[in-house]
Amino acid sequence: ASASPKQLTLGNGVQVALSQGASLQVASDGSNEMTLKGVAFFNVPHRPDRTITIHAGGFDVVDLGTSFEIASTPQSIRVAVRDGTVAVHSPRLSSPLHLTAGQGMAALSGSNTIEQLRVPPANVGSFRTGQLVYDDVPLDIVAAELGQYTDAKIIVENDVGQRRFSGALSLGDRSALVNDVAALMDLQVHRDGNVVRLADGGGGGAR
């Protein structure tokens, strides 16, 4: 069974749901800065006298008051906004990227490409209800995030990673996540110990 998200209420009133394996380090100097590793949903009450800054994967997400999700893995980052507005800062951006409700961004760690996404607000933070719901997200990003929920290293071969994935994945059986993606996208799964490769070739079956 999937582990329930960890619910936190910080001293500054910010509410956080942390997914399995996620960690949040909060600055002790009262600066409203924090560092995220993993996947989390934030609900930030609006206060005009303060901003919240979350450091994740080489990006800074700055918020005045909104609700949004950040998925930060060693290979990727994705930000999605449920309501309100956030500003995303990074040396990889020539100017801050402002995201409003229904908007998002995603990037791979080793790439200079930063992609803007359209995100149904109802999908933001879906892990809180035991599902991972994606709408037209590159498979490279999805695979990196699935690695947070499984013990395997997931590798997407060749140009398969640029295919777009849409679908809902149940966290009830984490061992089935990769096979579910393969079945939905007509891919092959090759397993070698702790390494799982997603490859073109059809069938969606496991080997």
Side-chain angles (χ1 to χ4, degrees):
S2 60
S4 298
K6 184 176 182 180
Q7 306 286 341
L8 304 174
T9 299
L10 307 181
N12 53 17
V14 175
Q15 296 178 321
V16 186
L18 293 175
S19 76
Q20 173 187 323
S23 65
L24 185 70
Q25 182 178 353
V26 181
S28 59
D29 59 3
S31 62
N32 288 316
E33 295 194 20
M34 53 197 79
T35 300
L36 172 70
K37 294 181 179 179
V39 183
F41 178 84
F42 295 84
N43 187 9
V44 181
H46 178 70
R47 278 177 33 188
D49 60 335
R50 64 103 186 264
T51 59
I52 302 294
T53 300
I54 301 159
H55 308 292
F59 290 78
D60 294 338
V61 180
V62 181
D63 177 73
L64 286 172
T66 182
S67 58
F68 57 97
E69 177 182 17
I70 301 176
S72 177
T73 81
Q75 298 84 27
S76 67
I77 183 170
R78 181 175 57 85
V79 179
V81 180
R82 187 180 182 98
D83 60 62
T85 303
V86 302
V88 180
H89 300 254
S90 171
R92 294 162 66 179
L93 291 165
S94 58
S95 60
L97 179 61
H98 294 274
L99 303 175
T100 60
Q103 295 181 334
M105 59 77 64
L108 292 171
S109 300
S111 170
N112 289 324
T113 301
I114 297 172
E115 181 170 356
Q116 296 193 51
L117 305 173
R118 296 183 65 180
V119 185
N123 291 357
V124 178
S126 61
F127 71 88
R128 297 173 298 160
T129 60
Q131 287 189 317
L132 300 177
V133 183
Y134 296 96
D135 186 65
D136 200 36
V137 176
L139 183 58
D140 274 334
I141 300 292
V142 175
E145 294 181 16
L146 293 186
Q148 301 295 293
Y149 298 94
T150 70
D151 295 328
K153 179 180 180 181
I154 303 171
I155 297 175
V156 181
E157 294 190 346
N158 300 325
D159 59 349
V160 174
Q162 291 307 302
R163 293 190 188 179
R164 317 296 292 197
F165 177 76
S166 297
L169 304 171
S170 173
L171 289 173
D173 183 2
R174 297 191 299 274
S175 64
L177 285 171
V178 176
N179 283 348
D180 289 346
V181 170
L184 288 168
M185 298 196 71
D186 200 25
L187 300 173
Q188 288 188 351
V189 180
H190 304 275
R191 301 182 186 273
D192 182 9
N194 200 43
V195 177
V196 178
R197 297 179 183 273
L198 286 172
D200 200 1
R207 287 186 176 182

